[in-house]
């Protein structure tokens, strides 16, 4: 008799966990489809990022990779609508495997914070993912070799605003040799794979450390970014 009741009780529990409790008691359905689809988007993004990182990590015969300690893939929030592309890792970044963490990174953080941004609402990567020896600039061949990975990276993140810091990032993305001072302070609409984004180029923080008088121009660009964030109604979560 007791065994029969127990079996019935267990069946009842199973039944209630199968049906929508809210529908019965609150007259309101749980939107399971929406919750699951959000999770699906996020997990597919992180899966794509992991796959891309593995792909870059499997590069063969690369001088940059041979001479470096770690791959420097990215930092920040993969769901951010603002993406920043720098040039390539320096010594600190190479040791830690994280972009922009040395003195250059400190200046970048200050620049971001001046327009209410930080690494929780931006996503950061570089043109090349391994440190160029002696902090030299990446060569044109190296930039070309890493460009398909960078394009894929941008496509996965799908930012509404893409900030190119320095001429390596500018030239990689536009495919034209230009100097930052001639193209900074302008928005360009660009399609990279499936991603349609507003692009702005500005001075690299390492350049600003060498030429502090250019910080006033950089500030103009930062204010343009702040304005664009408002125009595009980007939620920076603050
Ligand atoms: N400079 C860059 O361009 N990227 C880094 O990650 C660090 C310094």
């Amino acid at each position: 008799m007791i065994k029969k009741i127990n079996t019935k009780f267990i069946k009842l529990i199973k039944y209630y966990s199968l049906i929508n409790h809210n529908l019965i008691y609150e007259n309101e359905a749980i939107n399971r489809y929406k919750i699951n689809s959000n999770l699906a988007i996020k997990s597919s993004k992180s899966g794509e990022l992991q796959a891309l990182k593995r792909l870059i990590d499997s590069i063969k015969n690369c001088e940059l990779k041979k001479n470096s300690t770690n791959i420097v893939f990215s930092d920040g929030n993969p769901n951010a609508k603002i993406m920043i592309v720098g040039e390539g890792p320096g010594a600190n970044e190479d040791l830690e495997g994280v972009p922009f963490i040395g003195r250059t990174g400190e200046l970048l953080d200050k620049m971001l914070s001046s327009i209410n941004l930080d690494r929780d609402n931006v996503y950061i990567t570089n043109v090349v993912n391994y440190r160029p020896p002696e902090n030299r600039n990446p060569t044109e061949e190296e930039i070309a070799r890493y460009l398909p990975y960078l394009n894929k990276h941008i496509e996965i993140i799908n930012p509404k605003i893409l900030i190119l810091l320095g001429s390596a990032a500018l030239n990689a993305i536009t495919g034209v040799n230009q100097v930052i001072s001639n193209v900074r302070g302008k928005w360009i609409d660009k399609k990279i794979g499936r991603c349609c984004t507003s692009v702005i180029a500005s001075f690299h923080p390492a350049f600003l450390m060498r030429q502090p008088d250019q910080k006033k121009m950089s500030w103009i660009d930062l204010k343009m970014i702040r304005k664009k964030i408002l125009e595009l109604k980007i939620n920076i979560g603050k």
Side-chain angles (χ1 to χ4, degrees), residues 23-38:
L23 184 63
I24 292 177
Y25 296 104
E26 320 280 351
N27 200 22
E28 185 186 301
I30 296 172
N31 191 347
R32 289 205 170 93
Y33 174 75
K34 196 171 166 206
I35 293 168
N36 289 344
S37 70
N38 278 346

Side-chain angles (χ1 to χ4, degrees), residues 138-208:
T139 64
E140 277 187 20
E141 291 73 31
E142 286 161 349
I143 292 176
R145 183 162 191 196
Y146 281 81
L147 184 58
Y149 304 114
L150 176 61
N151 283 337
K152 184 69 195 167
H153 211 153
I154 295 169
E155 200 178 359
I156 298 170
I157 297 301
N158 196 19
K160 290 190 174 160
I161 293 178
L162 182 65
I163 305 168
L164 307 176
L165 295 179
S167 53
L170 170 69
N171 297 334
I173 294 298
T174 62
V176 198
N177 266 337
Q178 303 177 90
V179 283
I180 293 286
S181 48
N182 288 345
V183 289
R184 54 145 292 277
K186 291 175 207 148
W187 288 104
I188 321 162
D189 289 332
K190 190 136 179 75
K191 192 164 186 303
I192 300 167
R194 283 166 292 146
C195 168
C196 295
T197 185
S198 296
V199 182
I200 190 165
S202 193
F203 292 119
H204 192 285
F207 171 81
L208 293 173

Side-chain angles (χ1 to χ4, degrees), residues 86-90 93 99-100 104 126 204:
E87 180 177 300
E93 290 79 13
F100 284 101
T104 322
N126 282 308
H204 192 285

